[in-house]
Structures are given as C-alpha cells and as structure tokens.
C-alpha cells in the first residue's frame, strides 16, 4: 500500500459510514415522527378540529411569551407555552398520519418547515426583540396552518366541516386579540398591531353571529354559546386601549375563558351527527 493510501481509504470508509448513518436516521424519522408517536384521527371533523387548533396555538404561544415578558402570571404562561409547543408537535404528527391527499400532505410539509424555525425562537430567551420575531413567525405559521385546514375542509366538503372550521377559528381569534393587546400594553405601539386587533375583533363578532344561527346547534351547544356571548359582551366593556390604561390581566382572563368555551363548542360540533 502506497504512503498515505491508508488515510485515504479510512476517509472513504468514514464518509460511507456517515451516509449510512444519515439514511438510517431518515428512515427512523419517517417511521417514528419526531415528538412522539401519532394518535389515530377517526374522521375529517376531528382532523379539522385538530388542524384548527394548530392555528390557535400559533397565536397562543406568542401570547404566553409576551405574558412571561410582562410578568403577568395568570394561568401560568410558562406552562402554557411549554404545553402549546408539545401539543402543536403532537397534533402535527397526528395530522401527518391522517393526511391522504397530495394537497393536505403538501400543506403539512410547509407548516412543518415553518414550525421548525418557530419552535427555536419560542424556546429561547424572553424579551421584546424575540417576542416581535416570534410574532412574525406566528403569522407565517398561522397561514401555513390555515392551508392545512382549508385542504381538509375541501376534502370533507360538508356543512359540518365548515362549522367546525368557523368554530375552531374563534379559538385562534381569542388568542390573536390577546396577543396584540398584550404587545400594546407592553409598550410596543405599532399601528399595525392596533389594526390587527380591530380586524380580529370584527371577525370574531361576525363568526359568533353565524354560529348562533347554525342549524347544527344542539341544546348543549346553545348553552355553551350563551356563555360565549356573555363573555364576549364583558370583553367589549373591559378592553380599554387608551395609552397607559391597558388592562392586560383582565384581557388575559377574558380571552382565556373565550378560548375554553369555544374549544368545548368546537369539540361538540365535531361530534354532532348530521342526518
């Protein structure tokens, strides 16, 4: 063997081993999704429910991040953030296992790509700079998650699917309003944040009116919607937005209640039997 030939062969063997190693990792990642095994989704209604919840989580994580930054400790924002990170990954795995169409699979791939960048910032240091960066990524993640919902709704093609989508979107809007309100109360006086808050508020009100008139409403769903309507009216009275007079703790509480009630309603819509 010529001088240096052994070193060359060793490098070739090392490179070959590395390629085999990465191929094994790729195969494992396809068989066992990162973040835990997927739980079976039974039907499109539940798939849309989970995909819709992903939209909410994109906003909730930022809201919790900003709460931590302002030391608004209601409902343990640190645990909210950590739980939301775990849940987003878990539902992503569930949806990837459920997806059957090319459109849904493509939408999930795009959402996963954004999620990888989002998660790194969400797990980092809490300060205004990172909060604003995370908010920018949350807009990307919201849009990517919305594409997943739309693909599933289109596949399902039923009135029930539409109502589950609308109801689920209310969860997202509650956290979106809270997110922008908390940014403003933190001193981030961005005119766009005011505009986005007002837009989310209008969309919430319009969708709530549609849900109140849905033919799918059972007695139980109507009872939950009655609670939502009362909480929504209270929210309108307490969302003071004059400079220096923000009530972030109150808004955090009211939007949390709106989220809980709409999450219950969405789950009920997903289980409604349609004749």
């Amino acid at each position: 063997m010529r001088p240096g030939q052994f070193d060359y062969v060793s490098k070739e063997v090392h490179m070959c081993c590395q390629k085999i190693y990465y191929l094994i990792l790729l195969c494992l990642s396809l068989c066992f999704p990162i973040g835990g095994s997927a739980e079976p989704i039974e039907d499109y209604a539940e798939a849309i429910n989970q995909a819709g919840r992903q939209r909410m989580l994109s906003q909730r994580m930022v809201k919790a991040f900003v709460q931590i930054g302002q030391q608004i400790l209601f409902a343990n924002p640190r645990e909210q953030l950590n739980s939301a990170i775990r849940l987003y990954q878990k539902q992503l795995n569930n949806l990837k296992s459920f997806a059957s169409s090319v459109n849904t699979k493509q939408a999930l791939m795009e959402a996963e790509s954004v999620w990888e960048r989002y998660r790194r910032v969400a797990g980092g240091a809490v300060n205004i700079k990172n909060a604003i960066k995370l908010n920018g990524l949350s807009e990307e993640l919201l849009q990517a998650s919305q594409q997943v919902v739309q693909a599933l709704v289109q596949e399902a093609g039923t009135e029930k699917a539409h109502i589950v989508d609308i109801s689920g979107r209310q969860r997202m809007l509650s956290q979106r309003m809270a997110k922008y309100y908390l940014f403003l109360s933190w001193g981030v006086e961005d005119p766009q944040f005011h505009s986005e808050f007002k837009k989310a508020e209008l969309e919430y009100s319009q969708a709530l009116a549609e849900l109140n008139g849905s033919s799918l409403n059972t007695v139980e769903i109507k009872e939950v919607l009655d609670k939502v309507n009362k909480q929504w009216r209270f929210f309108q009275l307490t969302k003071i937005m004059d400079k220096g007079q923000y009530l972030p703790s109150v808004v955090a509480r009211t939007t949390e209640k709106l989220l809980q009630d709409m999450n219950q309603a969405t789950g009920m819509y997903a289980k409604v039997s349609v004749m």
Side-chain angles (χ1 to χ4, degrees):
M1 184 175 291
R2 297 191 305 274
Q5 187 174 0
F6 178 78
D7 292 340
Y8 175 78
V9 172
S10 296
K11 289 179 182 178
E12 287 290 305
V13 171
H14 178 69
M15 290 175 64
C16 184
C17 289
Q18 276 191 323
K19 289 179 180 179
I20 294 171
Y21 173 72
Y22 287 127
L23 283 172
I24 292 171
L25 282 182
L26 177 60
C27 291
L28 287 173
S29 67
L30 291 172
C31 295
F32 305 101
I34 295 172
S37 58
E39 294 181 1
I41 294 176
E42 294 183 359
D43 53 30
Y44 276 106
E46 179 55 28
I48 294 166
N49 182 17
Q50 291 196 25
R53 194 181 290 120
Q54 299 289 74
R55 296 178 299 196
M56 178 275 289
L57 292 171
S58 75
Q59 306 300 290
R60 183 170 179 77
M61 285 180 269
V62 183
K63 187 215 74 166
F65 200 90
V66 176
Q67 258 193 257
I68 295 167
Q70 292 188 72
Q71 297 184 341
I72 300 169
L73 303 180
F74 168 74
N76 195 345
R78 176 64 69 179
E79 178 54 31
Q80 280 187 35
L81 178 59
N82 293 336
S83 296
I85 290 172
R86 291 192 297 268
L87 183 56
Y88 193 98
Q89 184 63 64
K90 178 182 177 181
Q91 291 184 155
L92 181 60
N93 292 341
N94 295 346
L95 291 164
K96 286 168 65 178
S97 295
F98 179 83
S100 57
S101 75
V102 173
N103 286 344
T104 302
K105 289 180 179 179
Q106 180 63 36
L108 283 165
M109 285 178 60
E110 293 173 3
E112 187 169 29
S113 176
V114 179
W115 170 237
E116 289 173 358
R117 291 182 285 126
Y118 183 107
R119 184 169 55 180
R120 285 195 293 270
V121 180
V126 177
N127 52 53
I128 289 181
K129 180 180 178 181
N130 282 344
I132 292 173
K133 182 177 181 180
L134 187 63
N135 185 59
L137 288 167
S138 79
E139 296 301 283
E140 291 185 49
L141 190 61
L142 174 60
Q143 291 303 315
S145 299
Q146 174 65 14
Q147 292 300 315
V148 176
V149 175
Q150 289 178 340
L152 289 166
V153 170
Q154 186 175 12
E155 284 180 41
T158 63
E159 173 62 16
K160 177 178 173 178
H162 170 71
I163 289 297
V164 172
D165 174 24
I166 296 299
S167 179
R169 192 166 183 271
Q170 295 291 78
R171 298 175 297 192
M172 179 277 290
L173 289 171
S174 73
Q175 300 304 284
R176 187 170 179 81
M177 287 184 289
K179 175 186 79 170
Y180 282 119
Y181 189 97
L182 290 171
F183 263 119
L184 293 167
S185 72
W186 204 6
V188 184
E189 282 292 339
D190 188 326
Q192 185 177 355
F193 286 9
H194 281 279
S195 176
E196 290 295 336
F197 177 91
K198 291 294 185 183
K199 181 180 177 183
E201 185 181 24
L202 177 61
E203 290 176 356
Y204 193 100
S205 182
Q206 291 173 338
L208 184 56
E210 180 177 354
L211 291 172
N212 284 328
S214 173
S215 61
L216 296 179
N217 290 346
T218 62
V219 172
E220 292 77 15
I221 291 175
K222 287 179 180 178
E223 289 177 355
V224 177
L225 289 178
D226 283 343
K227 292 193 292 183
V228 173
N229 283 305
K230 290 176 183 177
Q231 193 66 26
W232 180 242
R233 288 193 291 271
F234 180 71
F235 176 79
Q236 298 300 303
L237 296 172
T238 58
K239 61 169 182 58
I240 299 172
M241 298 187 72
D242 294 332
K243 190 172 182 180
Q245 297 186 46
Y246 290 101
L247 299 173
S249 294
V250 175
V251 167
R253 289 175 184 274
T254 54
T255 53
E256 190 70 13
K257 189 65 170 66
L258 287 171
L259 169 62
Q260 292 171 2
D261 289 341
M262 284 312 309
N263 193 50
Q264 183 182 0
T266 305
M268 294 168 77
Y269 278 124
K271 294 178 181 177
V272 168
S273 297
V274 182
M275 302 300 291

